[in-house]
Amino acid sequence: MVAPPGCVFLLTDYGTGDEFAGLLRAAVARVAPGAPVVDLTHGIPPFDVVAGSRALVRCIDHLGPGVVLAVVDPGVGTARRGVALQVGAVPGAPATRPGSMPGPGAGVEPDAGKGSAPEAGGRPWVLVGPDNGLLVAAAERIGPVRRAVALPPATPPPCATAATFDGRDVFAPAAARLWAGATLAEVGEPIDPAGLERLADPVLRVRPGRVEAEVLWVDRFGNVQLAARPDDARRAGLGADLSVVAGGRPVPARRVPTFAAAGSGALGVVVDANGHLAVAADRRSAATILQVSAGDVVTLHGAGPVAGSGAAAGGGAAAGGAAAGGGAAAGSGGAAGGGAAGGSGGAVGCSGAAGGGGGTVGGGGGAASGGMAG
């Protein structure tokens, strides 16, 4: 089968201080020589599956066709499954009628090519990694998971010497084979997509006059990305002048279109690069000003006196389907922190340049402790 177009996109918590990320690339090259590889980031905080999932969500809309290989795997070597998820039509696969089978030698699963060819530019069609909640949110931004397989354990030496580096020994070879044209049935055993592990939705409650939202991400510039979006502020009736409450402390802020528009020493609330509300400051860290980090909850109030801590009392509209990701706009269009692909969200090319010219992997020292590469 002719190798499909596209790249192998990598996202891990391996860091760049050890050889783990390089060996992942080498494992792909060994199985699929010539496969273009794009490093989205290896700077996910060690073991932080939630941060990895949200980073993948921020990236996924801006990737071209190919295979996503994501590894944030504190459960490496345990009973947790390795999986591959198909979310789109496989490029080059012939369209089939419902219930029909491809002809002999077609090299695709029954129904794998159903529907029209991928749209211009394409999207990733398979995600590979651990079944621990890392993959599903990003996969479902592309579309429903069409089918899923559980990957078999690593093969015996010389490639696999222990059960502590599934990224190199299980996930990378599977991703490379899929990029080179293998079907899901050729790399694993079918499983029910409904049984895939999922992460909890972030906190988001909208009430008249206020929005309570979880901090999804703090980028390297200190921009504070929230689970809330502009429509949530509209439903709450919030105007331009706001109060941001964190830890019971209200800080004045204003809805602004850009970082610089916030003005010196003031907080602004912008719409970030992925459509979320983000609290920012002009050339300062809003996270430091608010003393918040990912997982904290802040409240946006309309201007005026704020009583108590501002925490919403029960009820409220839950964040039904709110994306567990997005991305605070990176500084003044610079690369997003920790090596995350930065810039303005153009499709990532096969040269490895991400978005607006980032593409370099970030963050040193992110290798998993205790010698586990994941």
Side-chain angles (χ1 to χ4, degrees):
M1 184 178 184
V2 177
C7 305
V8 178
F9 301 98
L10 306 183
L11 180 146
T12 78
D13 63 349
Y14 289 165
T16 57
D18 298 296
E19 69 273 22
F20 303 139
L23 287 174
L24 204 65
R25 294 175 62 95
V28 171
R30 185 178 66 246
V31 176
V37 176
V38 174
D39 297 277
L40 299 174
T41 181
H42 298 292
I44 302 301
F47 317 120
D48 195 337
V49 176
V50 172
S53 173
R54 290 173 177 174
L56 198 56
V57 166
R58 293 194 298 271
C59 293
I60 200 73
D61 288 346
H62 308 289
L63 305 185
V67 176
V68 172
L69 169 54
V71 189
V72 180
D73 193 17
V76 62
T78 67
R80 73 93 187 89
R81 299 179 295 190
V83 293
L85 315 180
Q86 184 186 332
V87 290
V90 178
T96 60
R97 297 182 302 276
S100 67
M101 295 284 288
V108 296
E109 300 173 65
D111 203 35
K114 184 193 296 184
S116 59
E119 62 188 49
R123 304 287 294 278
W125 65 87
V126 175
L127 292 85
V128 176
D131 182 23
N132 58 6
L134 179 65
L135 304 177
V136 173
E140 291 183 343
R141 283 191 69 85
I142 300 174
V145 177
R146 296 187 175 204
R147 51 185 54 79
V149 297
L151 303 175
T155 57
C159 292
T161 56
T164 57
F165 200 174
D166 280 355
R168 177 195 65 189
D169 300 333
V170 176
F171 304 138
R177 291 180 62 197
L178 289 163
W179 178 89
T183 67
L184 257 66
E186 292 171 325
V187 300
E189 293 295 322
I191 58 175
D192 184 355
L196 294 168
E197 292 292 328
R198 296 172 177 271
L199 301 176
D201 288 335
V203 173
L204 177 59
R205 298 186 179 92
V206 180
R207 301 179 66 181
R210 67 184 186 184
V211 174
E212 184 182 8
E214 184 173 336
V215 175
L216 297 181
W217 180 44
V218 175
D219 70 16
R220 66 175 303 192
F221 301 102
N223 300 315
V224 179
Q225 190 214 25
L226 304 177
R229 294 178 180 269
D231 189 58
D232 299 313
R234 182 193 60 77
R235 290 191 295 121
L238 299 181
D241 294 312
L242 303 171
S243 182
V244 181
V245 179
R249 184 171 61 96
V251 181
R254 183 172 177 81
R255 297 279 296 277
V256 292
T258 66
F259 301 109
S264 178
L267 285 183
V269 176
V270 301
V271 178
D272 73 15
N274 289 311
H276 284 260
L277 296 180
V279 186
D282 184 21
R283 285 166 281 190
R284 296 180 62 197
S285 168
T288 299
I289 295 171
L290 294 174
Q291 299 180 356
V292 296
S293 58
D296 291 338
V297 176
V298 304
T299 304
L300 304 180
H301 283 267
V306 178
S309 67
S332 298
S344 60
V348 176
C350 292
S351 65
T360 53
V361 300
S369 63
M372 291 175 59

